[in-house]
Amino acid sequence: MTEDDVIANYEQVQSRIRRAAQEAARSPDAVELTVVSKTWPTEKISPLLAHGHRRFGENRVQEAQAKWPALKSAYPDCCVHLIGALQSNKAADTIGLFDVVESLDREKLVHAFRRLADDGARLPAFFVQVNTGEEAQKSGVLPADAVAFVDWCRNDQHLDILGLMAIPPQDDPPAPHFALLHELAAEAGVSALSMGMSGDYETAVHLGATMVRVGSAIFGPRGTPQ
Ligand SMILES: *Cc1c(COP(=O)(O)O)cnc(C)c1O
C-alpha cells in the first residue's frame, strides 16, 4: 500500500460515511472517523496527519507509548483513543498519552482512574464498553448492567463518560448489536456511540454511530509484509 493508496482509501471511507449518514437522514458531520493505526509504524501514520486527519485509535498501551509522543509533539491537536482492553495497573500509563479511553468496563479500573484524578492527574474522556454479545472472552459490561454502570461512573466517580462502545461478535450480523447499543445509550443518557469497523461501518452509521473505528479499509490488511 503506497502513501497515495492510503490517502485515497481514507477519502473513500470518509465519503462513504457521509453518504451513509445522508441515507439515514443524519447530518454528514454527525459521524467522526477514528483511524485505527494499531500495528502500523509512524511512517504509515504521518501522511494522514499531514493530510489533516487528527483522530486515531490504538489497542495497546505499550505500542502507543512507542509511537505517539513523537507524533503528538509534531501535531499537538491530534486525539488518540485507546480501543483495546486496559488493566487497572496500567491506568496511569494512559495519562497524557490517550485523550479518550473507549474500554472502561470494570469498577476496579474506574477506581484506578478516580485515584489518579484525586492525585491531580488530568484524566482522558471515556466510553463504557458494552459486551453486547455477552461473549465470555470479550471485555465490556453486560447489557443489563450498562445503564447502572454509566450512572455510577458519572454521578459517583465523576468521570467524563462520552458514550458507549461495542465490538459485536465476529460471527453475528452486527446490526442487532448496534441497535442494542443505541438503545442502551439513550437509556443511560449519553450521546456518543463508538461502533462499526472496516466491514460494517456503514451499517453502524445507519444505526446511529457517532464514531466509527476503521483500520484495514484504510491501511490494508494488518500483518502483511510491507
Ligand atoms: C482493530 C480494531 C478496529 C479496526 O478494525 P478494522 O477491521 O481493521 O477496521 C476497530 N475497533 C477495535 C476495538 C479494534 O481492535
Side-chain angles (χ1 to χ4, degrees):
M1 204 68 80
T2 68
E3 202 173 291
D4 287 347
D5 292 333
V6 169
I7 299 294
N9 290 342
Y10 168 80
E11 285 300 337
Q12 189 180 50
V13 169
Q14 286 283 28
S15 77
R16 286 189 176 177
I17 290 170
R18 285 193 293 272
R19 195 176 55 209
Q22 277 161 349
E23 286 162 0
R26 303 179 60 204
S27 158
D29 304 325
V31 188
E32 288 190 77
L33 169 61
T34 301
V35 171
V36 176
S37 49
K38 66 186 186 193
T39 77
W40 297 104
T42 52
E43 310 87 81
K44 285 276 176 190
I45 302 169
S46 296
L48 281 168
L49 283 159
H51 189 65
H53 191 74
R54 291 293 180 269
R55 192 180 298 278
F56 293 85
E58 293 282 346
N59 69 334
R60 288 171 193 278
V61 173
Q62 215 180 352
E63 181 184 343
Q65 281 172 327
K67 285 153 65 173
W68 283 94
L71 292 171
K72 279 194 154 190
S73 70
Y75 297 93
D77 60 337
C78 71
C79 183
V80 186
H81 293 219
L82 178 64
I83 59 172
L86 179 64
Q87 292 178 331
S88 46
N89 63 1
K90 295 277 167 61
D93 296 341
T94 67
I95 306 298
L97 178 65
F98 291 104
D99 303 283
V100 179
V101 168
E102 297 202 20
S103 47
L104 194 67
D105 67 348
R106 294 186 314 286
E107 286 187 16
K108 197 173 172 199
L109 190 54
V110 172
H111 287 305
F113 278 112
R114 187 63 255 157
R115 273 193 299 274
L116 289 164
D118 292 344
D119 290 344
R122 195 167 161 269
L123 296 189
F126 297 95
F127 283 78
V128 168
Q129 184 173 351
V130 182
N131 185 356
T132 58
E134 307 194 21
E135 295 172 280
Q137 77 287 4
K138 198 164 273 175
S139 321
V141 299
L142 293 173
D145 300 332
V147 173
F149 186 76
V150 169
D151 283 348
W152 176 73
C153 289
R154 294 178 118 177
N155 301 327
D156 296 334
Q157 303 299 317
H158 307 292
L159 300 189
D160 180 12
I161 308 293
L162 301 174
L164 304 183
M165 178 272 224
I167 310 167
Q170 207 138 34
D171 303 325
D172 271 15
H177 296 274
F178 296 155
L180 172 60
L181 198 70
H182 195 167
E183 226 171 86
L184 291 171
E187 244 181 272
V190 289
S191 56
L193 280 176
S194 173
M195 58 190 198
M197 321 201 313
S198 289
D200 54 21
Y201 64 92
E202 288 157 296
T203 305
V205 171
H206 289 151
L207 292 168
T210 65
M211 283 192 183
V212 295
R213 311 177 303 268
V214 179
S216 46
I218 293 170
F219 291 111
R222 287 177 290 275
T224 50
Q226 289 165 45

PDB file of all heavy atoms in Angstrom, residues 70-109:
ATOM      1  N   ALA A  70       6.038  11.225  19.929  1.00  0.00           N
ATOM      2  CA  ALA A  70       6.687  11.993  18.854  1.00  0.00           C
ATOM      3  C   ALA A  70       5.647  12.588  17.902  1.00  0.00           C
ATOM      4  O   ALA A  70       5.739  13.766  17.515  1.00  0.00           O
ATOM      5  CB  ALA A  70       7.655  11.097  18.078  1.00  0.00           C
ATOM      6  N   LEU A  71       4.638  11.793  17.542  1.00  0.00           N
ATOM      7  CA  LEU A  71       3.608  12.298  16.628  1.00  0.00           C
ATOM      8  C   LEU A  71       2.814  13.427  17.273  1.00  0.00           C
ATOM      9  O   LEU A  71       2.453  14.407  16.622  1.00  0.00           O
ATOM     10  CB  LEU A  71       2.661  11.158  16.214  1.00  0.00           C
ATOM     11  CG  LEU A  71       3.285  10.068  15.330  1.00  0.00           C
ATOM     12  CD1 LEU A  71       2.322   8.890  15.174  1.00  0.00           C
ATOM     13  CD2 LEU A  71       3.655  10.632  13.953  1.00  0.00           C
ATOM     14  N   LYS A  72       2.563  13.274  18.585  1.00  0.00           N
ATOM     15  CA  LYS A  72       1.804  14.322  19.280  1.00  0.00           C
ATOM     16  C   LYS A  72       2.603  15.610  19.426  1.00  0.00           C
ATOM     17  O   LYS A  72       2.010  16.689  19.475  1.00  0.00           O
ATOM     18  CB  LYS A  72       1.381  13.842  20.674  1.00  0.00           C
ATOM     19  CG  LYS A  72       0.154  12.960  20.660  1.00  0.00           C
ATOM     20  CD  LYS A  72      -0.403  12.802  22.065  1.00  0.00           C
ATOM     21  CE  LYS A  72      -1.880  12.493  21.990  1.00  0.00           C
ATOM     22  NZ  LYS A  72      -2.543  12.550  23.287  1.00  0.00           N
ATOM     23  N   SER A  73       3.912  15.514  19.512  1.00  0.00           N
ATOM     24  CA  SER A  73       4.659  16.770  19.612  1.00  0.00           C
ATOM     25  C   SER A  73       4.695  17.470  18.261  1.00  0.00           C
ATOM     26  O   SER A  73       4.707  18.702  18.195  1.00  0.00           O
ATOM     27  CB  SER A  73       6.041  16.573  20.235  1.00  0.00           C
ATOM     28  OG  SER A  73       6.857  15.876  19.358  1.00  0.00           O
ATOM     29  N   ALA A  74       4.618  16.695  17.164  1.00  0.00           N
ATOM     30  CA  ALA A  74       4.537  17.321  15.837  1.00  0.00           C
ATOM     31  C   ALA A  74       3.124  17.843  15.544  1.00  0.00           C
ATOM     32  O   ALA A  74       2.970  18.835  14.830  1.00  0.00           O
ATOM     33  CB  ALA A  74       4.968  16.327  14.763  1.00  0.00           C
ATOM     34  N   TYR A  75       2.112  17.145  16.070  1.00  0.00           N
ATOM     35  CA  TYR A  75       0.705  17.526  15.828  1.00  0.00           C
ATOM     36  C   TYR A  75      -0.021  17.569  17.171  1.00  0.00           C
ATOM     37  O   TYR A  75      -0.743  16.635  17.529  1.00  0.00           O
ATOM     38  CB  TYR A  75       0.034  16.514  14.898  1.00  0.00           C
ATOM     39  CG  TYR A  75       0.647  16.438  13.514  1.00  0.00           C
ATOM     40  CD1 TYR A  75       1.649  15.518  13.226  1.00  0.00           C
ATOM     41  CD2 TYR A  75       0.229  17.301  12.507  1.00  0.00           C
ATOM     42  CE1 TYR A  75       2.224  15.447  11.960  1.00  0.00           C
ATOM     43  CE2 TYR A  75       0.787  17.240  11.242  1.00  0.00           C
ATOM     44  CZ  TYR A  75       1.785  16.312  10.975  1.00  0.00           C
ATOM     45  OH  TYR A  75       2.330  16.250   9.728  1.00  0.00           O
ATOM     46  N   PRO A  76       0.164  18.656  17.932  1.00  0.00           N
ATOM     47  CA  PRO A  76      -0.376  18.702  19.301  1.00  0.00           C
ATOM     48  C   PRO A  76      -1.904  18.590  19.371  1.00  0.00           C
ATOM     49  O   PRO A  76      -2.433  18.244  20.423  1.00  0.00           O
ATOM     50  CB  PRO A  76       0.073  20.076  19.830  1.00  0.00           C
ATOM     51  CG  PRO A  76       1.150  20.522  18.906  1.00  0.00           C
ATOM     52  CD  PRO A  76       0.905  19.877  17.583  1.00  0.00           C
ATOM     53  N   ASP A  77      -2.600  18.870  18.282  1.00  0.00           N
ATOM     54  CA  ASP A  77      -4.066  18.801  18.335  1.00  0.00           C
ATOM     55  C   ASP A  77      -4.602  17.428  17.957  1.00  0.00           C
ATOM     56  O   ASP A  77      -5.807  17.253  17.816  1.00  0.00           O
ATOM     57  CB  ASP A  77      -4.688  19.879  17.436  1.00  0.00           C
ATOM     58  CG  ASP A  77      -4.270  19.738  15.983  1.00  0.00           C
ATOM     59  OD1 ASP A  77      -3.211  19.125  15.718  1.00  0.00           O
ATOM     60  OD2 ASP A  77      -4.996  20.240  15.105  1.00  0.00           O
ATOM     61  N   CYS A  78      -3.729  16.433  17.804  1.00  0.00           N
ATOM     62  CA  CYS A  78      -4.283  15.131  17.449  1.00  0.00           C
ATOM     63  C   CYS A  78      -4.864  14.449  18.688  1.00  0.00           C
ATOM     64  O   CYS A  78      -4.558  14.797  19.827  1.00  0.00           O
ATOM     65  CB  CYS A  78      -3.280  14.255  16.709  1.00  0.00           C
ATOM     66  SG  CYS A  78      -1.965  13.646  17.714  1.00  0.00           S
ATOM     67  N   CYS A  79      -5.735  13.512  18.442  1.00  0.00           N
ATOM     68  CA  CYS A  79      -6.539  12.918  19.502  1.00  0.00           C
ATOM     69  C   CYS A  79      -6.398  11.407  19.383  1.00  0.00           C
ATOM     70  O   CYS A  79      -6.730  10.830  18.352  1.00  0.00           O
ATOM     71  CB  CYS A  79      -7.985  13.369  19.256  1.00  0.00           C
ATOM     72  SG  CYS A  79      -9.112  12.806  20.494  1.00  0.00           S
ATOM     73  N   VAL A  80      -5.868  10.783  20.431  1.00  0.00           N
ATOM     74  CA  VAL A  80      -5.588   9.348  20.359  1.00  0.00           C
ATOM     75  C   VAL A  80      -6.513   8.597  21.311  1.00  0.00           C
ATOM     76  O   VAL A  80      -6.617   8.936  22.490  1.00  0.00           O
ATOM     77  CB  VAL A  80      -4.107   9.056  20.690  1.00  0.00           C
ATOM     78  CG1 VAL A  80      -3.792   7.576  20.478  1.00  0.00           C
ATOM     79  CG2 VAL A  80      -3.188   9.915  19.832  1.00  0.00           C
ATOM     80  N   HIS A  81      -7.182   7.585  20.769  1.00  0.00           N
ATOM     81  CA  HIS A  81      -8.120   6.778  21.542  1.00  0.00           C
ATOM     82  C   HIS A  81      -7.498   5.425  21.874  1.00  0.00           C
ATOM     83  O   HIS A  81      -6.919   4.789  20.985  1.00  0.00           O
ATOM     84  CB  HIS A  81      -9.382   6.475  20.724  1.00  0.00           C
ATOM     85  CG  HIS A  81     -10.238   7.659  20.429  1.00  0.00           C
ATOM     86  ND1 HIS A  81     -11.610   7.599  20.457  1.00  0.00           N
ATOM     87  CD2 HIS A  81      -9.931   8.940  20.086  1.00  0.00           C
ATOM     88  CE1 HIS A  81     -12.120   8.780  20.142  1.00  0.00           C
ATOM     89  NE2 HIS A  81     -11.114   9.606  19.915  1.00  0.00           N
ATOM     90  N   LEU A  82      -7.661   4.966  23.106  1.00  0.00           N
ATOM     91  CA  LEU A  82      -7.347   3.577  23.432  1.00  0.00           C
ATOM     92  C   LEU A  82      -8.602   2.752  23.178  1.00  0.00           C
ATOM     93  O   LEU A  82      -9.649   2.986  23.799  1.00  0.00           O
ATOM     94  CB  LEU A  82      -6.904   3.431  24.888  1.00  0.00           C
ATOM     95  CG  LEU A  82      -6.597   1.980  25.305  1.00  0.00           C
ATOM     96  CD1 LEU A  82      -5.407   1.411  24.530  1.00  0.00           C
ATOM     97  CD2 LEU A  82      -6.353   1.880  26.807  1.00  0.00           C
ATOM     98  N   ILE A  83      -8.493   1.786  22.248  1.00  0.00           N
ATOM     99  CA  ILE A  83      -9.671   0.981  21.891  1.00  0.00           C
ATOM    100  C   ILE A  83      -9.515  -0.466  22.343  1.00  0.00           C
ATOM    101  O   ILE A  83     -10.381  -1.286  22.074  1.00  0.00           O
ATOM    102  CB  ILE A  83      -9.940   1.038  20.369  1.00  0.00           C
ATOM    103  CG1 ILE A  83      -8.733   0.527  19.576  1.00  0.00           C
ATOM    104  CG2 ILE A  83     -10.291   2.460  19.945  1.00  0.00           C
ATOM    105  CD1 ILE A  83      -9.004   0.384  18.076  1.00  0.00           C
ATOM    106  N   GLY A  84      -8.399  -0.792  23.010  1.00  0.00           N
ATOM    107  CA  GLY A  84      -8.180  -2.160  23.490  1.00  0.00           C
ATOM    108  C   GLY A  84      -8.329  -2.245  24.994  1.00  0.00           C
ATOM    109  O   GLY A  84      -8.394  -1.230  25.695  1.00  0.00           O
ATOM    110  N   ALA A  85      -8.360  -3.472  25.482  1.00  0.00           N
ATOM    111  CA  ALA A  85      -8.549  -3.716  26.917  1.00  0.00           C
ATOM    112  C   ALA A  85      -7.418  -3.069  27.720  1.00  0.00           C
ATOM    113  O   ALA A  85      -6.278  -2.973  27.257  1.00  0.00           O
ATOM    114  CB  ALA A  85      -8.582  -5.215  27.178  1.00  0.00           C
ATOM    115  N   LEU A  86      -7.768  -2.629  28.925  1.00  0.00           N
ATOM    116  CA  LEU A  86      -6.808  -1.946  29.787  1.00  0.00           C
ATOM    117  C   LEU A  86      -6.825  -2.594  31.168  1.00  0.00           C
ATOM    118  O   LEU A  86      -7.885  -2.770  31.765  1.00  0.00           O
ATOM    119  CB  LEU A  86      -7.200  -0.465  29.898  1.00  0.00           C
ATOM    120  CG  LEU A  86      -6.335   0.419  30.790  1.00  0.00           C
ATOM    121  CD1 LEU A  86      -4.908   0.515  30.254  1.00  0.00           C
ATOM    122  CD2 LEU A  86      -6.956   1.816  30.909  1.00  0.00           C
ATOM    123  N   GLN A  87      -5.634  -2.928  31.668  1.00  0.00           N
ATOM    124  CA  GLN A  87      -5.535  -3.440  33.040  1.00  0.00           C
ATOM    125  C   GLN A  87      -5.463  -2.260  33.995  1.00  0.00           C
ATOM    126  O   GLN A  87      -4.864  -1.233  33.661  1.00  0.00           O
ATOM    127  CB  GLN A  87      -4.291  -4.304  33.173  1.00  0.00           C
ATOM    128  CG  GLN A  87      -4.416  -5.591  32.365  1.00  0.00           C
ATOM    129  CD  GLN A  87      -3.160  -6.438  32.438  1.00  0.00           C
ATOM    130  OE1 GLN A  87      -2.056  -5.915  32.609  1.00  0.00           O
ATOM    131  NE2 GLN A  87      -3.335  -7.734  32.297  1.00  0.00           N
ATOM    132  N   SER A  88      -6.040  -2.436  35.180  1.00  0.00           N
ATOM    133  CA  SER A  88      -6.103  -1.275  36.077  1.00  0.00           C
ATOM    134  C   SER A  88      -4.708  -0.812  36.513  1.00  0.00           C
ATOM    135  O   SER A  88      -4.507   0.375  36.760  1.00  0.00           O
ATOM    136  CB  SER A  88      -7.009  -1.543  37.265  1.00  0.00           C
ATOM    137  OG  SER A  88      -6.742  -2.790  37.812  1.00  0.00           O
ATOM    138  N   ASN A  89      -3.737  -1.733  36.546  1.00  0.00           N
ATOM    139  CA  ASN A  89      -2.382  -1.282  36.911  1.00  0.00           C
ATOM    140  C   ASN A  89      -1.685  -0.516  35.783  1.00  0.00           C
ATOM    141  O   ASN A  89      -0.572  -0.036  35.954  1.00  0.00           O
ATOM    142  CB  ASN A  89      -1.521  -2.457  37.414  1.00  0.00           C
ATOM    143  CG  ASN A  89      -1.287  -3.513  36.346  1.00  0.00           C
ATOM    144  OD1 ASN A  89      -1.753  -3.364  35.198  1.00  0.00           O
ATOM    145  ND2 ASN A  89      -0.591  -4.571  36.686  1.00  0.00           N
ATOM    146  N   LYS A  90      -2.344  -0.412  34.635  1.00  0.00           N
ATOM    147  CA  LYS A  90      -1.797   0.377  33.519  1.00  0.00           C
ATOM    148  C   LYS A  90      -2.539   1.703  33.340  1.00  0.00           C
ATOM    149  O   LYS A  90      -2.236   2.468  32.418  1.00  0.00           O
ATOM    150  CB  LYS A  90      -1.900  -0.411  32.201  1.00  0.00           C
ATOM    151  CG  LYS A  90      -1.054  -1.676  32.155  1.00  0.00           C
ATOM    152  CD  LYS A  90       0.382  -1.326  31.779  1.00  0.00           C
ATOM    153  CE  LYS A  90       1.345  -2.486  32.021  1.00  0.00           C
ATOM    154  NZ  LYS A  90       1.005  -3.666  31.218  1.00  0.00           N
ATOM    155  N   ALA A  91      -3.502   1.977  34.197  1.00  0.00           N
ATOM    156  CA  ALA A  91      -4.302   3.201  34.028  1.00  0.00           C
ATOM    157  C   ALA A  91      -3.408   4.441  34.019  1.00  0.00           C
ATOM    158  O   ALA A  91      -3.605   5.352  33.196  1.00  0.00           O
ATOM    159  CB  ALA A  91      -5.370   3.308  35.119  1.00  0.00           C
ATOM    160  N   ALA A  92      -2.404   4.451  34.893  1.00  0.00           N
ATOM    161  CA  ALA A  92      -1.532   5.627  34.978  1.00  0.00           C
ATOM    162  C   ALA A  92      -0.794   5.880  33.665  1.00  0.00           C
ATOM    163  O   ALA A  92      -0.497   7.031  33.320  1.00  0.00           O
ATOM    164  CB  ALA A  92      -0.528   5.453  36.124  1.00  0.00           C
ATOM    165  N   ASP A  93      -0.498   4.805  32.940  1.00  0.00           N
ATOM    166  CA  ASP A  93       0.247   4.957  31.682  1.00  0.00           C
ATOM    167  C   ASP A  93      -0.576   5.636  30.591  1.00  0.00           C
ATOM    168  O   ASP A  93      -0.031   6.058  29.570  1.00  0.00           O
ATOM    169  CB  ASP A  93       0.697   3.584  31.164  1.00  0.00           C
ATOM    170  CG  ASP A  93       1.681   2.913  32.111  1.00  0.00           C
ATOM    171  OD1 ASP A  93       2.275   3.626  32.945  1.00  0.00           O
ATOM    172  OD2 ASP A  93       1.840   1.682  32.016  1.00  0.00           O
ATOM    173  N   THR A  94      -1.880   5.713  30.772  1.00  0.00           N
ATOM    174  CA  THR A  94      -2.706   6.351  29.743  1.00  0.00           C
ATOM    175  C   THR A  94      -2.691   7.885  29.867  1.00  0.00           C
ATOM    176  O   THR A  94      -3.043   8.566  28.907  1.00  0.00           O
ATOM    177  CB  THR A  94      -4.191   5.903  29.833  1.00  0.00           C
ATOM    178  OG1 THR A  94      -4.773   6.386  31.050  1.00  0.00           O
ATOM    179  CG2 THR A  94      -4.322   4.387  29.775  1.00  0.00           C
ATOM    180  N   ILE A  95      -2.284   8.379  31.057  1.00  0.00           N
ATOM    181  CA  ILE A  95      -2.367   9.829  31.299  1.00  0.00           C
ATOM    182  C   ILE A  95      -1.388  10.583  30.390  1.00  0.00           C
ATOM    183  O   ILE A  95      -0.202  10.264  30.345  1.00  0.00           O
ATOM    184  CB  ILE A  95      -2.063  10.157  32.787  1.00  0.00           C
ATOM    185  CG1 ILE A  95      -2.971   9.360  33.723  1.00  0.00           C
ATOM    186  CG2 ILE A  95      -2.156  11.663  33.042  1.00  0.00           C
ATOM    187  CD1 ILE A  95      -4.449   9.635  33.598  1.00  0.00           C
ATOM    188  N   GLY A  96      -1.919  11.557  29.656  1.00  0.00           N
ATOM    189  CA  GLY A  96      -1.078  12.340  28.760  1.00  0.00           C
ATOM    190  C   GLY A  96      -0.808  11.659  27.426  1.00  0.00           C
ATOM    191  O   GLY A  96      -0.294  12.268  26.500  1.00  0.00           O
ATOM    192  N   LEU A  97      -1.142  10.375  27.340  1.00  0.00           N
ATOM    193  CA  LEU A  97      -0.908   9.622  26.107  1.00  0.00           C
ATOM    194  C   LEU A  97      -2.213   9.492  25.319  1.00  0.00           C
ATOM    195  O   LEU A  97      -2.244   9.736  24.113  1.00  0.00           O
ATOM    196  CB  LEU A  97      -0.351   8.234  26.464  1.00  0.00           C
ATOM    197  CG  LEU A  97      -0.073   7.265  25.331  1.00  0.00           C
ATOM    198  CD1 LEU A  97       1.055   7.791  24.429  1.00  0.00           C
ATOM    199  CD2 LEU A  97       0.332   5.880  25.890  1.00  0.00           C
ATOM    200  N   PHE A  98      -3.267   9.103  26.009  1.00  0.00           N
ATOM    201  CA  PHE A  98      -4.576   8.935  25.370  1.00  0.00           C
ATOM    202  C   PHE A  98      -5.510  10.077  25.770  1.00  0.00           C
ATOM    203  O   PHE A  98      -5.572  10.463  26.937  1.00  0.00           O
ATOM    204  CB  PHE A  98      -5.209   7.600  25.775  1.00  0.00           C
ATOM    205  CG  PHE A  98      -4.488   6.410  25.214  1.00  0.00           C
ATOM    206  CD1 PHE A  98      -3.664   5.635  26.023  1.00  0.00           C
ATOM    207  CD2 PHE A  98      -4.611   6.068  23.878  1.00  0.00           C
ATOM    208  CE1 PHE A  98      -2.989   4.535  25.505  1.00  0.00           C
ATOM    209  CE2 PHE A  98      -3.940   4.977  23.339  1.00  0.00           C
ATOM    210  CZ  PHE A  98      -3.123   4.203  24.163  1.00  0.00           C
ATOM    211  N   ASP A  99      -6.234  10.563  24.788  1.00  0.00           N
ATOM    212  CA  ASP A  99      -7.243  11.595  25.040  1.00  0.00           C
ATOM    213  C   ASP A  99      -8.586  10.969  25.399  1.00  0.00           C
ATOM    214  O   ASP A  99      -9.397  11.582  26.092  1.00  0.00           O
ATOM    215  CB  ASP A  99      -7.396  12.463  23.785  1.00  0.00           C
ATOM    216  CG  ASP A  99      -6.059  13.063  23.392  1.00  0.00           C
ATOM    217  OD1 ASP A  99      -5.644  14.029  24.038  1.00  0.00           O
ATOM    218  OD2 ASP A  99      -5.387  12.519  22.477  1.00  0.00           O
ATOM    219  N   VAL A 100      -8.802   9.763  24.871  1.00  0.00           N
ATOM    220  CA  VAL A 100     -10.056   9.045  25.099  1.00  0.00           C
ATOM    221  C   VAL A 100      -9.724   7.577  25.363  1.00  0.00           C
ATOM    222  O   VAL A 100      -8.907   6.991  24.652  1.00  0.00           O
ATOM    223  CB  VAL A 100     -10.993   9.149  23.864  1.00  0.00           C
ATOM    224  CG1 VAL A 100     -12.290   8.380  24.097  1.00  0.00           C
ATOM    225  CG2 VAL A 100     -11.294  10.605  23.515  1.00  0.00           C
ATOM    226  N   VAL A 101     -10.342   6.996  26.378  1.00  0.00           N
ATOM    227  CA  VAL A 101     -10.235   5.552  26.631  1.00  0.00           C
ATOM    228  C   VAL A 101     -11.619   4.955  26.376  1.00  0.00           C
ATOM    229  O   VAL A 101     -12.591   5.333  27.033  1.00  0.00           O
ATOM    230  CB  VAL A 101      -9.756   5.271  28.076  1.00  0.00           C
ATOM    231  CG1 VAL A 101      -9.931   3.790  28.437  1.00  0.00           C
ATOM    232  CG2 VAL A 101      -8.295   5.692  28.239  1.00  0.00           C
ATOM    233  N   GLU A 102     -11.695   4.059  25.380  1.00  0.00           N
ATOM    234  CA  GLU A 102     -13.000   3.535  24.958  1.00  0.00           C
ATOM    235  C   GLU A 102     -13.358   2.221  25.649  1.00  0.00           C
ATOM    236  O   GLU A 102     -14.417   1.661  25.374  1.00  0.00           O
ATOM    237  CB  GLU A 102     -13.015   3.319  23.436  1.00  0.00           C
ATOM    238  CG  GLU A 102     -12.832   4.597  22.639  1.00  0.00           C
ATOM    239  CD  GLU A 102     -13.365   4.491  21.211  1.00  0.00           C
ATOM    240  OE1 GLU A 102     -14.198   3.606  20.941  1.00  0.00           O
ATOM    241  OE2 GLU A 102     -12.938   5.310  20.381  1.00  0.00           O
ATOM    242  N   SER A 103     -12.472   1.740  26.524  1.00  0.00           N
ATOM    243  CA  SER A 103     -12.631   0.381  27.053  1.00  0.00           C
ATOM    244  C   SER A 103     -12.879   0.362  28.554  1.00  0.00           C
ATOM    245  O   SER A 103     -12.481  -0.573  29.236  1.00  0.00           O
ATOM    246  CB  SER A 103     -11.394  -0.441  26.692  1.00  0.00           C
ATOM    247  OG  SER A 103     -10.212   0.292  27.000  1.00  0.00           O
ATOM    248  N   LEU A 104     -13.539   1.384  29.077  1.00  0.00           N
ATOM    249  CA  LEU A 104     -13.862   1.401  30.509  1.00  0.00           C
ATOM    250  C   LEU A 104     -14.954   0.356  30.755  1.00  0.00           C
ATOM    251  O   LEU A 104     -16.025   0.417  30.141  1.00  0.00           O
ATOM    252  CB  LEU A 104     -14.355   2.787  30.904  1.00  0.00           C
ATOM    253  CG  LEU A 104     -14.413   3.088  32.398  1.00  0.00           C
ATOM    254  CD1 LEU A 104     -13.008   3.120  32.994  1.00  0.00           C
ATOM    255  CD2 LEU A 104     -15.117   4.406  32.658  1.00  0.00           C
ATOM    256  N   ASP A 105     -14.676  -0.613  31.629  1.00  0.00           N
ATOM    257  CA  ASP A 105     -15.643  -1.713  31.767  1.00  0.00           C
ATOM    258  C   ASP A 105     -15.640  -2.392  33.137  1.00  0.00           C
ATOM    259  O   ASP A 105     -16.302  -3.411  33.301  1.00  0.00           O
ATOM    260  CB  ASP A 105     -15.411  -2.773  30.676  1.00  0.00           C
ATOM    261  CG  ASP A 105     -14.085  -3.491  30.853  1.00  0.00           C
ATOM    262  OD1 ASP A 105     -13.247  -3.038  31.672  1.00  0.00           O
ATOM    263  OD2 ASP A 105     -13.873  -4.514  30.177  1.00  0.00           O
ATOM    264  N   ARG A 106     -14.863  -1.850  34.104  1.00  0.00           N
ATOM    265  CA  ARG A 106     -14.792  -2.531  35.409  1.00  0.00           C
ATOM    266  C   ARG A 106     -14.672  -1.519  36.527  1.00  0.00           C
ATOM    267  O   ARG A 106     -14.007  -0.498  36.370  1.00  0.00           O
ATOM    268  CB  ARG A 106     -13.561  -3.450  35.475  1.00  0.00           C
ATOM    269  CG  ARG A 106     -13.597  -4.616  34.526  1.00  0.00           C
ATOM    270  CD  ARG A 106     -12.422  -5.567  34.725  1.00  0.00           C
ATOM    271  NE  ARG A 106     -11.122  -4.924  34.857  1.00  0.00           N
ATOM    272  CZ  ARG A 106     -10.426  -4.375  33.881  1.00  0.00           C
ATOM    273  NH1 ARG A 106     -10.921  -4.325  32.657  1.00  0.00           N
ATOM    274  NH2 ARG A 106      -9.249  -3.857  34.108  1.00  0.00           N
ATOM    275  N   GLU A 107     -15.266  -1.858  37.668  1.00  0.00           N
ATOM    276  CA  GLU A 107     -15.168  -0.966  38.823  1.00  0.00           C
ATOM    277  C   GLU A 107     -13.717  -0.723  39.211  1.00  0.00           C
ATOM    278  O   GLU A 107     -13.334   0.395  39.564  1.00  0.00           O
ATOM    279  CB  GLU A 107     -15.927  -1.566  40.019  1.00  0.00           C
ATOM    280  CG  GLU A 107     -17.427  -1.471  39.849  1.00  0.00           C
ATOM    281  CD  GLU A 107     -18.184  -1.899  41.099  1.00  0.00           C
ATOM    282  OE1 GLU A 107     -17.563  -1.977  42.180  1.00  0.00           O
ATOM    283  OE2 GLU A 107     -19.392  -2.149  40.973  1.00  0.00           O
ATOM    284  N   LYS A 108     -12.914  -1.776  39.157  1.00  0.00           N
ATOM    285  CA  LYS A 108     -11.512  -1.655  39.574  1.00  0.00           C
ATOM    286  C   LYS A 108     -10.774  -0.609  38.720  1.00  0.00           C
ATOM    287  O   LYS A 108      -9.952   0.153  39.226  1.00  0.00           O
ATOM    288  CB  LYS A 108     -10.851  -3.034  39.443  1.00  0.00           C
ATOM    289  CG  LYS A 108      -9.559  -3.162  40.195  1.00  0.00           C
ATOM    290  CD  LYS A 108      -9.037  -4.588  40.177  1.00  0.00           C
ATOM    291  CE  LYS A 108      -7.631  -4.593  40.775  1.00  0.00           C
ATOM    292  NZ  LYS A 108      -6.887  -5.802  40.404  1.00  0.00           N
ATOM    293  N   LEU A 109     -11.083  -0.608  37.440  1.00  0.00           N
ATOM    294  CA  LEU A 109     -10.459   0.346  36.527  1.00  0.00           C
ATOM    295  C   LEU A 109     -10.950   1.768  36.820  1.00  0.00           C
ATOM    296  O   LEU A 109     -10.169   2.730  36.812  1.00  0.00           O
ATOM    297  CB  LEU A 109     -10.805  -0.078  35.092  1.00  0.00           C
ATOM    298  CG  LEU A 109     -10.109   0.598  33.919  1.00  0.00           C
ATOM    299  CD1 LEU A 109      -8.588   0.537  34.057  1.00  0.00           C
ATOM    300  CD2 LEU A 109     -10.542  -0.099  32.615  1.00  0.00           C
TER     301      LEU A 109
END
